[in-house]
Amino acid sequence: MKRRVKNGNNHRVQFLFTMLLFLSLALCSALVISFGARVYENVSQRMEENFSGSVAVSYVANKVRQMDERAGIRVYREGEISVLCLEQQVGGKQYQTLIYGLDGSIRELFCESGADLTLEDGIPILESEGIRFDLTDAGLLTVETLGAHGDTILLAVRSEGGRR
């Protein structure tokens, strides 16, 4: 009988050891999944923050490159708002594209020069805390998105724009 008791205790010890091993494996798996989820969340948040600043700057840079014509680019202020004006001639008529920040978004307004439209009429393009433009006499255009995750780009423009 002693053998049976000994074997019974031996099976219990093996069962307990197997269960402890299984539970520790399950706990480690849960911790790895939890850490992985946190890392993914942080990476996703950083990508979203970088997106808002860099996409706005890239958007404006591409618009400027498309419309870099003689006397076609100028920067002016309307109240507290910095406005980038890109002018072009289409079919004998003068048109302008205004890019500016208003009410938490970057907006664009395309209209005929001299049209009776206000900045509120622009179409929101991207959410942003604001955007600022500066055009030097040497033809350097600085585009800066505002906020904690803003971005800046410096463009050399060929056109001979001015300030108003």
Side-chain angles (χ1 to χ4, degrees):
M1 275 213 193
K2 286 185 179 182
R3 276 192 181 190
R4 283 187 183 176
V5 172
K6 208 174 198 184
N7 277 341
N9 284 338
N10 196 15
H11 287 294
R12 287 183 193 149
V13 169
Q14 286 178 351
F15 177 75
L16 285 174
F17 177 75
T18 305
M19 289 308 291
L20 282 173
L21 187 61
F22 175 74
L23 289 175
S24 64
L25 182 62
L27 181 64
C28 288
S29 297
L31 288 174
V32 166
I33 290 171
S34 174
F35 289 139
R38 283 193 196 129
V39 167
Y40 176 78
E41 185 178 321
N42 289 339
V43 167
S44 177
Q45 182 181 3
R46 285 189 184 138
M47 284 178 58
E48 188 174 316
E49 291 166 354
N50 290 336
F51 175 82
S52 64
S54 63
V55 167
V57 168
S58 295
Y59 172 78
V60 172
N62 284 327
K63 282 290 198 176
V64 167
R65 289 180 188 122
Q66 288 173 358
M67 298 184 185
D68 195 2
E69 299 176 356
R70 185 171 188 81
I73 297 176
R74 61 189 167 92
V75 173
Y76 67 93
R77 295 193 65 77
E78 192 164 310
E80 293 292 317
I81 301 171
S82 178
V83 180
L84 175 65
C85 180
L86 307 169
E87 296 182 324
Q88 63 183 6
Q89 193 165 13
V90 179
K93 290 187 176 182
Q94 193 71 16
Y95 291 93
Q96 61 185 6
T97 301
L98 305 178
I99 301 173
Y100 53 93
L102 183 67
D103 297 333
S105 65
I106 295 175
R107 295 181 178 221
E108 180 179 310
L109 176 62
F110 178 77
C111 60
E112 193 172 343
S113 293
D116 192 24
L117 296 172
T118 65
L119 295 182
E120 284 81 20
D121 296 321
I123 299 170
I125 303 296
L126 293 165
E127 290 183 15
S128 176
E129 293 182 36
I131 191 164
R132 186 176 17 227
F133 305 101
D134 184 42
L135 182 61
T136 66
D137 293 332
L140 295 176
L141 175 67
T142 304
V143 180
E144 177 184 9
T145 54
L146 306 176
H149 305 288
D151 201 0
T152 303
I153 191 168
L154 183 65
L155 301 169
V157 295
R158 295 176 294 187
S159 64
E160 296 175 7
R163 295 181 206 191
R164 191 167 42 150

